Amino acid sequence: MRNCSCALAVLITVLVTTAFAGETAPEPADYRTDNYRAPVPATLKGAKVVTTEETIALWKDKSAVFVDVLPHDPKPANLPAGTIWREKVREDIPGSIWLANVGYGVINKETEAYFRKGLKSRLGDDTKRKVLFYCMANCWMSWNAAKRAVEWGYESVLWYPHGTDGWTAAKQPTQKNEPF
């Protein structure tokens, strides 16, 4: 039975890797500022790119802080009375902090302060602790956010380019989350 479980785990890993291995983009020198849902690079200077298997191990060991950077559209304040607003539900890797909208190529001072505050809430002043950034497959938001963390002096930045798509394809658990 154990051999069967191992074989199944290997098969799932191969399928997930194949499904998300597609086209990659060259690593740019600066942040991506448009077309955020497009093929991403296979590398990120100053960070370690992690696979689904490595991400699962980090999650099980609780050896990294997980940061989701998927954008979030809040309910507009000026909606006409009676307008129905359906909040989008975000299913995250359990235990993650959701720092919405910090992965854009250009962020304003308020968003930068929110990003730094969110990181500090989980990492304190420990710039050596592992911090893993993700979004969805082919999402430049996580690449930009991880790049920014490297530039801010974080020394153990991990980038999971397959994001929640890779996570759920590997049949891993999720939990509902709300932005920090």
Side-chain angles (χ1 to χ4, degrees), residues 68 72 97-102 108-120 152 178-180:
D68 180 11
H72 176 259
I97 184 171
W98 182 9
L99 299 180
N101 306 322
V102 302
N108 61 32
K109 288 182 182 186
E110 292 80 11
T111 302
E112 180 180 336
Y114 161 75
F115 190 3
R116 288 181 185 270
K117 181 180 179 183
L119 290 177
K120 189 170 181 85
W152 289 345
E178 293 183 11
F180 172 77

Side-chain angles (χ1 to χ4, degrees), residues 149-162:
V150 167
E151 289 179 355
W152 289 345
Y154 289 90
E155 298 176 32
S156 298
V157 174
L158 308 171
W159 174 48
Y160 178 44
H162 304 307

